[in-house]
Amino acid sequence: MDAISLLKQDHKTVRAMLAELAETTTRATKTRTELLQKIRTELEAHTTIEEEIFYPAFKAAGEKADDNKMFFEAMEEHRAAGDLVLPDLLKTDVSSDQFSGRAKVLKELVEHHADEEEKEMFPRAKALMDKAQLLELGERMAARKAELT
């Protein structure tokens, strides 16, 4: 599977889990706890393969200042979600309204980030890299993701 297909599949998986989490109520503590752990695992694996493999390849292939800006913006969005919002959510009582609010913020952050990648970064990556490069990146990313999950 090529790199972009793998990342889009990850986006679809995480979006579905975040949507399910957002629909839970404060009484669904078991469901919230289980979903949150799955989301954490998926997000951590996804951001790791992007940061270790895909983003450096994108940055190296980049030709314009806009490519560099896209790279750094994507890294900052990972930092916001992975270092700030997700850790706060993990420390929040799953039966609280505060959890609901933080889960919604994480969902919105992830959706915004995935949308930007799919509409801007991925088409640009297809223009910068050939099919063989994207396949090779996809294989490396799949192998690394298997190690992480």
Side-chain angles (χ1 to χ4, degrees):
M1 178 182 300
D2 72 78
I4 292 168
S5 297
L6 186 148
L7 294 174
K8 282 183 174 180
Q9 185 179 327
D10 279 1
H11 289 171
K12 186 177 178 182
T13 300
V14 172
R15 277 183 174 127
M17 287 191 289
L18 286 166
E20 189 179 342
L21 184 64
E23 292 172 15
T24 62
T25 66
T26 55
R27 292 194 336 256
T29 57
K30 185 171 185 253
T31 301
R32 282 182 166 189
T33 303
E34 290 169 0
L35 268 173
L36 185 57
Q37 287 312 312
K38 288 179 188 174
I39 290 165
R40 176 189 195 174
T41 301
E42 277 296 318
L43 281 179
E44 287 176 353
H46 178 80
T47 57
T48 299
I49 64 174
E50 279 187 330
E51 291 175 6
E52 288 180 1
I53 301 166
F54 185 75
Y55 289 172
F58 178 84
K59 190 172 189 271
E63 301 164 343
K64 300 178 182 174
D66 282 352
D67 298 331
N68 219 21
K69 278 172 56 178
M70 233 183 282
F71 167 83
F72 285 108
E73 184 179 338
M75 291 294 287
E76 280 306 305
E77 288 172 349
H78 278 192
R79 193 175 75 76
D83 294 351
L84 305 171
V85 179
L86 183 61
D88 274 355
L89 185 59
L90 290 164
K91 290 184 245 167
T92 305
D93 178 359
V94 294
S95 67
S96 70
D97 288 328
Q98 190 177 33
F99 181 91
S100 302
R102 288 181 175 169
K104 185 173 190 237
V105 169
L106 180 64
K107 179 179 180 279
E108 289 171 355
L109 263 173
V110 169
E111 286 175 347
H112 167 80
H113 176 72
D115 286 346
E116 274 192 347
E117 283 186 342
E118 290 176 11
K119 290 176 183 160
E120 298 171 25
M121 184 180 262
F122 295 170
R124 185 68 183 138
K126 284 183 180 178
L128 293 169
M129 296 180 251
D130 63 27
K131 284 184 181 182
Q133 285 174 295
L134 290 171
L135 272 172
E136 189 269 334
L137 284 175
E139 289 169 11
R140 286 176 43 214
M141 289 162 56
R144 180 69 173 118
K145 187 174 177 187
E147 292 171 6
L148 297 165
T149 53

